[in-house]
Amino acid sequence: MRYGLPAPLCKFFASLALLLSLSAAPFAANAANDRLTIVALGDSLTAGYMLGPDEGFTHQLEKALRDAGHENVTVVNAGVSGDTSSGGLARLDWAVGPEADAVIVELGANDALRAIDPALTRKNLSEIVSRLKDRGLPVLLAGMLAPPNLGRDYGESFNSIYPDLAESEGLILYPFFLDGVAGERRLNLADGIHPTAEGIGVIVERILPKVKMLIAEARERKGG
């Protein structure tokens, strides 16, 4: 003896299955559209010099974002210790891959430490920003300040790079990446230059509002 559902019920469940499959497609598309990838292009301050895998800038920033409700945002570490603005420009195309939806540019600290001509730093950062904008990627520019021992003229030439570039290119600016950390012994490693995990936490807390602005801009560009 054969058992089966009456024909009307079979038709009902078949229609229901079709409806569910059709409704799932937009949901999957919306979920994918909701995901964002932020690439942090930088030097040792981004790379997490001498820190554990869960103590660096990108890891702590991603966690802070998720705690703030941005569960679908991934922050990619594209920091290279010792990198200058020239190095960042040279590796830009492969460091910021096609998955990127937005970029944090944190470069220039090593330029200042090596007393590189600020005109070259300005040129490199301008080119980096130009190429990212050509790709339609919103940029958060993290500024840096020159060490006082390099003199007033160098300091004025270097320090003006970031606000000038942000204004001319319409970028989101975080004026000084090490704000609240530079010069604070307890927040830096023994070298007095690189932040501890606690120091990174201070940076993340202070830069977070600007990163949220970056996310909003990236979502607007994605149409989400």
Side-chain angles (χ1 to χ4, degrees), residues 37 50 58 74-75 87 103 111 136 196-197:
T37 298
M50 296 293 290
T58 54
T74 300
V75 185
V103 182
D111 295 53
T196 61

Side-chain angles (χ1 to χ4, degrees), residues 11-129:
K11 185 176 181 181
F12 167 77
F13 283 117
S15 299
L16 181 61
L18 177 61
L19 180 63
L20 290 174
S21 67
L22 291 175
S23 63
F27 178 80
N30 288 336
N33 194 53
D34 191 50
R35 294 192 200 89
L36 283 179
T37 298
I38 300 174
V39 176
L41 178 72
D43 46 41
S44 56
L45 300 176
T46 298
Y49 177 79
M50 296 293 290
L51 298 178
D54 61 345
E55 296 177 333
F57 174 70
T58 54
H59 182 90
Q60 290 201 45
L61 177 58
E62 184 175 293
K63 182 180 184 303
L65 287 170
R66 295 188 176 183
D67 290 345
H70 297 281
E71 295 89 355
N72 292 326
V73 176
T74 300
V75 185
V76 175
N77 189 344
V80 173
S81 293
D83 224 359
T84 61
S85 61
S86 295
L89 176 59
R91 63 187 176 88
L92 178 63
D93 291 338
W94 61 263
V96 182
E99 78 285 355
D101 297 301
V103 182
I104 299 172
V105 176
E106 179 278 302
L107 288 166
N110 289 309
D111 295 53
L113 289 175
R114 300 176 191 182
I116 291 172
D117 185 351
L120 177 59
T121 304
R122 184 183 291 267
K123 180 176 181 293
N124 289 334
L125 290 175
S126 296
E127 179 64 19
I128 288 172
V129 167

